[in-house]
Amino acid sequence: MLYDSVHQFEPLLPSDAAQSPLLSQAHDLARSALLLAGSAVPGELRCLLRSMTSYYSNRIEGQHTRPFEIEQALRRDFSANRELAARQRLAVAHIETEAVLESRYTGADGVRRLYSLDAVQDIHRELFNRLPTEDLNPDAGPVIAPGILRTREVSVGHHIAPAWQAVPTFLTRWAEVYGNTRRGEAALLALAAAHQRLGWIHPFVDGNGRVMRLHTHTLLAALGYTGGLWSPLRGFARSTDRYYALLAAADESRRGDLDGRGNLSQRALVDWIGYVLSVCQDQVAFMSGLLRLGDMERRIAACLAFEEQTLRSGVRMAALRPLHYLFVTDGALERGEFKQMTGLGERTAGSLLRALLQRGLLVSDTPQGRVRFGLPLHALRFCFPALWPEAEVDDGDTQQGGAEA
């Protein structure tokens, strides 16, 4: 079938009756997500979560990068292996793009602008303009033109995407419907459906999946639901087969007279939206549990005990009080203040502070500047167990032949 008319990708949203249970699910998600988004946490945690989201984005695409390799790439230490270096650069590009998009599209105005052809092209351009020419022109596969809509026909699995000349028309209709959805729970249904229908349009020759997921991630942030503390990409990556199966199912034609009134399956669209809402709720619940402040002091203590007793890294348990303070306040301390809070003598406290900086448990912008809570990969298994399991067995200590979890 040739898709060249916008009625061919209806329904863009399920009927009112079909939306009812989804709205109830979205209500629970919105309430718990807003509560989590208001949490005060160290900025270093948000930075680490960007790396984690980038890791999972690569994993969804089957372009695997190890957490330690992403950490190296952020220091501009790229592999000598050409293919691995390309994946590392893509991971860094995702991290940087995510930060830019979250600052560019904020609040109600950001949500409105995200539902536009310009925004879809902007996301694609922002991501792929960060890559060198050799990464955009691979030996196998199409040449990627950042921000440029496709000018040829494509198919994805069993789905034949709309005629390339009709792509702007489909995107205009996509933006009109989802951009005019009322706020609140209905907006969550809209962003889930928009994710699938954007993939159905397939605006670009390549990079559509990444654009779809960045669009959804940025929308959730603009709606105030994430606070930089969670992303559905982690959940998508941990259920990749289901993610792709439900995406493909929602591409299918209507399954008889009881399956809505549009050209495509309403039942499959409902299943897809329910899946997205469930993934988001799972991620919110998981992160809410990890951020229970009553547990943090115990977790930091476990990390310090391992450093002191097993690694003998120079880190001492005396750092617990100031480190916990920095975590719960998301603040910074003068170096003298930090040393005073340890209760140690000046010389011993100075050695401890240097060891904490060397191990990444403290970070500072300058050699003598204020210090903040740090969260290196090797501390994850203590501070945030199971947050990024792949990083727990791929941290700096393991790479250097140190102790393993």
Side-chain angles (χ1 to χ4, degrees):
M1 177 184 293
L2 176 65
Y3 294 110
D4 57 5
S5 178
V6 294
H7 80 274
Q8 293 171 307
F9 77 147
E10 295 285 349
L12 293 176
L13 285 168
S15 67
D16 290 345
Q19 284 189 35
S20 182
L22 295 172
L23 288 170
S24 177
Q25 189 179 356
H27 173 77
D28 293 341
L29 168 61
R31 185 172 56 181
S32 57
L34 288 173
L35 184 62
L36 174 61
S39 304
V41 299
E44 292 299 312
L45 173 59
R46 289 186 171 88
C47 290
L48 181 136
L49 291 174
R50 290 197 195 283
S51 294
M52 184 183 76
T53 303
S54 174
Y55 166 86
Y56 283 122
S57 179
N58 271 2
R59 184 165 132 177
I60 292 168
E61 293 290 329
Q63 297 173 315
H64 188 63
T65 42
R66 296 164 66 188
F68 190 73
E69 291 163 348
I70 295 176
E71 190 176 59
Q72 288 177 318
L74 287 169
R75 299 193 300 266
R76 305 298 167 181
D77 178 14
F78 295 100
S79 172
N81 179 284
R82 179 183 172 187
E83 292 184 2
L84 175 55
R87 295 196 298 271
Q88 286 178 300
R89 288 190 289 267
L90 190 51
V92 172
H94 186 284
I95 292 167
E96 295 172 350
T97 299
E98 185 181 303
V100 168
L101 295 177
E102 286 182 7
S103 63
R104 182 175 296 163
Y105 298 98
T106 61
D109 179 66
V111 173
R112 178 187 60 79
R113 290 188 295 116
L114 277 165
Y115 285 123
S116 68
L117 187 154
D118 287 345
V120 171
Q121 291 180 281
D122 181 44
I123 294 171
H124 192 271
R125 184 185 307 112
E126 191 67 48
L127 177 64
F128 291 105
N129 262 344
R130 297 176 181 276
L131 301 178
T133 302
E134 60 265 29
D135 291 355
L136 300 175
N137 189 11
D139 296 334
V143 175
I144 301 174
I148 304 300
L149 300 178
R150 61 182 169 85
T151 56
R152 65 179 179 84
E153 311 304 349
V154 297
S155 60
V156 184
H158 297 296
H159 172 57
I160 300 174
W164 68 265
Q165 298 95 331
V167 166
T169 303
F170 276 96
L171 283 173
T172 298
R173 177 61 176 164
W174 173 88
E176 177 185 23
V177 171
Y178 298 124
N180 288 320
T181 302
R182 65 186 187 274
R183 297 292 297 274
E185 290 84 359
L188 288 168
L189 271 62
L191 73 84
H195 183 110
Q196 199 284 331
R197 292 304 193 239
L198 185 58
W200 186 94
I201 298 170
H202 204 87
F204 308 101
V205 172
D206 202 0
N208 293 279
R210 293 180 184 277
V211 169
M212 292 154 56
R213 290 185 290 275
L214 279 166
H215 186 269
T216 297
H217 174 97
T218 309
L219 264 173
L220 284 165
L223 287 165
Y225 287 127
T226 66
L229 295 177
W230 65 276
S231 174
L233 272 67
R234 181 180 183 273
F236 293 156
R238 298 173 76 80
S239 56
T240 303
D241 290 345
R242 184 162 174 74
Y243 171 79
Y244 279 123
L246 289 172
L247 270 178
D251 289 339
E252 295 175 2
S253 300
R254 184 176 55 174
R255 306 164 185 170
D257 293 339
L258 299 180
D259 193 14
R261 296 184 177 180
N263 183 56
L264 303 181
S265 170
Q266 175 176 268
R267 178 69 259 167
L269 182 61
V270 167
D271 289 344
W272 164 258
I273 294 172
Y275 162 75
V276 173
L277 296 177
S278 295
V279 163
C280 290
Q281 185 64 69
D282 287 347
Q283 296 308 303
V284 170
F286 177 74
M287 201 66 196
S288 296
L290 282 186
L291 287 177
R292 281 195 293 263
L293 295 183
D295 293 341
M296 281 311 304
E297 187 170 14
R298 174 183 55 79
R299 295 183 206 158
I300 295 170
C303 179
L304 295 177
F306 181 76
E307 293 279 340
E308 181 175 13
Q309 299 168 16
T310 303
L311 296 184
R312 302 187 184 278
S313 63
V315 169
R316 294 168 174 254
M317 188 61 71
L320 178 59
R321 182 176 170 227
L323 279 178
H324 186 247
Y325 171 83
L326 288 173
F327 182 91
V328 298
T329 61
D330 184 23
L333 286 170
E334 298 291 346
R335 296 183 181 220
E337 293 176 304
F338 186 94
K339 290 188 284 186
Q340 187 176 23
M341 288 181 71
T342 67
L344 300 173
E346 174 66 23
R347 187 171 180 179
T348 305
S351 297
L352 171 57
L353 189 144
R354 287 191 294 273
L356 290 165
L357 287 165
Q358 184 178 14
R359 294 291 292 157
L361 296 168
L362 283 178
V363 293
S364 180
D365 295 330
T366 63
Q368 296 302 320
R370 290 157 65 89
V371 292
R372 305 186 306 276
F373 187 90
L375 192 59
L377 290 182
H378 62 77
L380 268 184
R381 60 184 183 267
F382 300 104
C383 295
F384 296 100
L387 171 63
W388 192 0
E390 298 85 356
E392 293 183 18
V393 295
D394 193 30
D395 59 34
D397 290 332
T398 302
Q399 292 297 315
Q400 296 164 16
E404 298 184 19

